[in-house]
Amino acid sequence: KKTGIPGEDSANVISAVELLRAIGDNDLPDFTGLRVVVIGGGNVAMDVTRSAIRLGARTVTCVYRRRQADMTALAEEVEGAVAEGAELLTLQAPVRIEADGDGKAAALWTQPQIPGELDGHGRPKPVNADVPQRRIEADLIIVAIGQGVESRGFEQGGIKVQRGGTLLADPSTHLP
């Protein structure tokens, strides 16, 4: 998924899937000396956070808009990332990516959050705190906020797609 924030198409902004695919293909990037920022709080975010450290990053900061307790990542994955040297920056919602004069990501701007009312999953919804935005310097930004369903092909084939990318099936036959 994309973040939907300005600057996400800057150079040096990559998806977690892109990084993990390269690693899986034994095409190991060299992150030596880089300041890496990871956006997300799930297991994939922890995978790329730990991978960035192992690939030589100078610093790796994992930014998440909710509290650590609300992360969808397994607790042991989060603890492992911190033990390897990652910084967790929670209650920070990404606002925009700042690019330098060459169009490369230079920083992630975030809006501090406070926990609000509970959502449908029992987690507090993040709400903007009434404080200034924060600038986090970055040489590389990795987006790990989930994957979407590519449904365009189904729609083009006449199959109805519901909100969220699920297929609409006949309740009696379970066929589209």
Side-chain angles (χ1 to χ4, degrees), residues 4 6 9 15 33 49 53 55 96 110-111 139 148 156:
D9 293 325
S15 74
T49 295
I53 292 167
L55 292 167
R96 67 183 170 93
T110 63
Q111 176 62 55
D139 302 303
Q156 290 171 345

Side-chain angles (χ1 to χ4, degrees), residues 92 109-112 129-135:
Q92 298 290 321
W109 285 85
T110 63
Q111 176 62 55
D130 191 19
V131 295
Q133 292 180 359
R134 181 172 181 171
R135 183 178 186 271

Side-chain angles (χ1 to χ4, degrees), residues 80-94:
V82 171
E84 287 192 50
E87 175 189 12
L88 290 183
L89 195 54
T90 57
L91 291 170
Q92 298 290 321

